[in-house]
Amino acid sequence: IKQVGQVTAQSLVNYFASLEEIRHASLETLQHIPDIGPIVAENIYHFFRQPKNNQIIDTLIDLGINCDAIKTDSTNFSS
């Protein structure tokens, strides 16, 4: 997702309980997440509104990829 790196991804994981919640989040909800500004929120929102992106995610889930959110401390990421 454009402009979404490890720190932003971790913010999403910490805010939402599952990938499904992220996929269905409103633009307003995304804009209220700490460290996510309006442009990044729009990028996330529009990414999950693209049918092709959701088809790929669904295929990965069907193949057994575990997409459950794992909450970790974002300081575990190396710079």
Side-chain angles (χ1 to χ4, degrees):
I1 303 172
K2 187 176 180 180
Q3 297 180 332
V4 174
Q6 289 181 331
V7 173
T8 303
Q10 190 62 49
S11 293
L12 289 167
V13 167
N14 290 338
Y15 191 88
F16 294 102
S18 69
L19 177 60
E20 284 304 308
E21 284 187 14
I22 299 170
R23 286 171 85 170
H24 300 292
S26 69
L27 182 57
E28 181 180 77
T29 298
L30 292 166
Q31 290 174 339
H32 289 303
I33 299 171
D35 302 321
I36 296 181
I39 293 172
V40 175
E42 284 187 34
N43 290 340
I44 296 165
Y45 180 81
H46 290 297
F47 176 88
F48 287 110
R49 297 310 174 277
Q50 298 297 314
K52 183 174 182 174
N53 294 335
N54 281 300
Q55 289 171 349
I56 292 168
I57 292 167
D58 289 338
T59 298
L60 292 171
I61 292 169
D62 290 344
L63 291 172
I65 302 296
N66 184 356
C67 295
D68 292 337
I70 299 173
K71 296 183 184 300
T72 60
D73 183 352
S74 62
T75 58
N76 290 336
F77 293 122
S78 58
S79 302

